Amino acid sequence: MPEFSYVARTASGEDVTGLLVAGSRREAICALMDRSLYPLKVEPVSQKVGGWFRRRVTVAQLASTLTQLADLLQNGVPLLQALTVLAEQSVHPELRHVLTQVRDQVAEGVAIDQALAAHPKVFNELVVSMVRAGAEGAFLEDALRRTANFLEMQEDLRSRVKGAMFYPAFLAAVGTIITTALIVFFVPRFAELFEKLEREGGGLPWATVMLLGLSNFLGRFGSLVMVVLVMGTVAIKQAVASQQGRLIWDRWKLRIPLFGPIFLNYAVARFCRVLGTLLRNGVPLLKALDISAQSAGNRVLAQAIRDSAENVSSGETLSRPLAQCGLIPKPIMAMISVAEQANNLDEVLVQIAEGIERKMSRQIDIMVRMLEPMMLLVMGAIIMFVLVALLLPVVEMSTSL
């Protein structure tokens, strides 16, 4: 059972503090009043699950939990009881802890979407937005099941990308380690020979001079470079965690060569699928636009969608303000415009999402096939440069002799 810290006032007017174990915050308050204590402040004590080696809740576990919750609700089980069952049956300690807290908050009268939003590391914006729409539109079971399907499809795409990028990433890592080891440990052994050749021959090739300079720099300041890289990475992660930093990061991602169109297509597909699902379940357009903007996964596109919603509220069609943002491709905007006129926007949006996802799958396959030989060529060129820079002075000296 969860533990609560409290500040209470006795009948004589003195303030006392302590800890109390109870099933929920309401039970803790009742227990204090039974002791003739007037509760001033009652808060749950945060509990760390698993310490430093806490296991993260995977997307597959989250999708399975949402599906089970949908099944329990569809079979007539009350929401509070369904959350209790899921919390008791969960084998993941972190998920069990989170579900217990969600159940306690729901028992105190907090809405289910607000209870989920209190745990952003487990329930992302997509889950919270879809649950909020389902609770307000009386289709919570369907929203939970569709959200689980969204998460599974996104995880499948993410797994395919990670699997396809493993070999190029492995080549890059191994090549970087080998090249760094050659420059830091192997090149300095030739320093005396190169100095002798330079005194006798009058100079060294530019490639050798560059290689010796780089080796000397890494030998002196290599540890400092590592510290700067680590601190820079931490600083970037902290900056991206803020609202403005996230907006700048999302805008920069869309401009990356090769990867930028993939990030944009992913966000557009996610927006179309969520918006189509909400409209199919009878959610009003403005509300559906707000939820789908939060679920797009890209702040730049989300801001463009919110600007479009403001124009829609003044009586314009959806396609016209969306086309002005310039982020959504013109063929897709043409399909949305025709669907609005034909009054089947919900079906067309889902079809658009499926078409974009198929196109992304082909683009990723082609990109990975091109990336592997490119990585081999780059690594080969770097190692060849090191070898040429080492051997060129010797070759020139033997030629002069």
Side-chain angles (χ1 to χ4, degrees):
M1 297 180 71
E3 192 175 27
F4 295 86
S5 62
Y6 66 86
V7 178
R9 183 164 295 171
T10 63
S12 59
E14 298 179 357
D15 292 345
V16 295
T17 61
L19 297 175
L20 180 66
V21 177
S24 64
R25 185 171 180 272
R26 180 177 298 176
E27 293 182 9
I29 294 175
C30 294
L32 291 173
M33 297 183 68
D34 291 340
R35 300 180 187 178
S36 299
L37 297 174
Y38 179 76
L40 300 177
K41 186 178 181 181
V42 180
E43 294 181 345
V45 178
S46 60
Q47 300 176 358
K48 294 184 178 181
V49 182
W52 291 97
F53 301 98
R54 181 173 61 183
R55 290 189 301 159
R56 186 177 64 90
V57 179
T58 64
V59 176
Q61 292 169 335
L62 178 58
S64 176
T65 300
L66 295 177
T67 302
Q68 293 175 12
L69 180 58
D71 293 338
L72 290 172
L73 295 177
Q74 192 169 10
N75 287 297
V77 180
L79 177 59
L80 190 60
Q81 184 178 352
L83 292 173
T84 302
V85 171
L86 291 177
E88 293 176 351
Q89 293 183 352
S90 177
V91 297
H92 193 288
E94 174 70 10
L95 185 58
R96 185 190 311 118
H97 176 67
V98 169
L99 289 175
T100 301
Q101 291 188 335
V102 171
R103 179 204 61 190
D104 295 340
Q105 290 181 305
V106 172
E108 295 173 6
V110 178
I112 178 64
D113 59 289
Q114 296 179 4
L116 296 181
H119 307 278
K121 293 184 178 181
V122 178
F123 305 102
N124 56 26
E125 295 177 348
L126 173 64
V127 176
V128 175
S129 300
M130 290 295 292
V131 170
R132 181 183 298 118
E136 294 178 356
F139 61 98
L140 181 58
E141 299 88 347
D142 185 60
L144 289 169
R145 191 169 285 107
R146 289 185 181 274
T147 304
N149 293 333
F150 293 162
L151 294 176
E152 290 175 349
M153 286 188 296
Q154 292 173 11
E155 182 63 18
D156 179 65
L157 179 61
R158 189 178 293 111
S159 299
R160 290 182 57 193
V161 174
K162 289 182 178 179
M165 293 298 295
F166 174 78
Y167 183 60
F170 176 77
L171 289 177
V174 172
T176 302
I177 293 173
I178 293 175
T179 306
T180 304
L182 286 175
I183 295 175
V184 175
F185 301 106
F186 188 68
V187 172
R189 297 179 181 272
F190 292 82
E192 294 182 1
L193 174 62
F194 290 151
E195 290 178 0
K196 182 179 179 181
L197 293 176
E198 187 175 10
R199 288 194 302 267
E200 295 178 355
L204 293 175
W206 64 268
T208 307
V209 175
M210 289 181 58
L211 183 62
L212 289 175
L214 181 60
S215 176
N216 186 36
F217 175 80
L218 292 178
R220 291 184 177 183
F221 307 105
S223 57
L224 179 61
V225 171
M226 290 297 298
V227 172
V228 171
L229 289 176
V230 172
M231 294 180 62
T233 302
V234 174
I236 291 175
K237 291 183 65 175
Q238 292 179 351
V240 171
S242 64
Q243 294 289 338
Q244 185 65 25
R246 178 68 182 277
L247 179 62
I248 296 174
W249 171 250
D250 286 342
R251 183 179 292 111
W252 181 80
K253 283 197 307 183
L254 299 181
R255 298 175 181 176
I256 301 176
L258 297 180
F259 293 94
I262 294 179
F263 291 139
L264 178 59
N265 287 333
Y266 178 78
V268 172
R270 189 168 172 173
F271 157 68
C272 291
R273 185 175 292 277
V274 173
L275 180 59
T277 302
L278 295 175
L279 294 177
R280 181 177 296 178
N281 286 278
V283 179
L285 178 58
L286 292 178
K287 182 66 175 179
L289 285 173
D290 180 61
I291 296 175
S292 57
Q294 299 175 20
S295 308
N298 186 284
R299 299 298 176 89
V300 179
L301 180 61
Q303 185 61 45
I305 296 171
R306 293 191 181 96
D307 295 341
S308 301
E310 294 178 0
N311 294 331
V312 170
S313 62
S314 62
E316 292 190 21
T317 60
L318 175 62
S319 57
R320 182 176 179 181
L322 270 183
Q324 294 176 354
C325 72
L327 293 174
I328 301 179
K330 293 182 179 180
I332 295 178
M333 292 309 310
M335 295 177 64
I336 293 177
S337 178
V338 173
E340 282 186 304
Q341 299 175 5
N343 200 23
N344 61 343
L345 183 60
D346 52 348
E347 298 179 2
V348 172
L349 286 172
V350 175
Q351 294 174 5
I352 290 174
E354 294 175 351
I356 293 176
E357 290 167 357
R358 288 193 298 268
K359 180 181 178 181
M360 286 175 56
S361 179
R362 294 192 298 267
Q363 289 178 341
I364 292 173
D365 291 339
I366 295 173
M367 184 183 66
V368 171
R369 291 176 183 176
M370 294 175 58
L371 196 58
E372 291 179 4
M374 289 175 61
M375 290 300 302
L376 288 173
L377 289 174
V378 171
M379 292 297 105
I382 293 175
I383 295 175
M384 180 63 68
F385 170 78
V386 175
L387 296 178
V388 169
L390 291 176
L391 297 177
L392 192 58
V394 179
V395 173
E396 289 184 353
M397 183 185 68
S398 62
T399 303
S400 63
L401 292 178

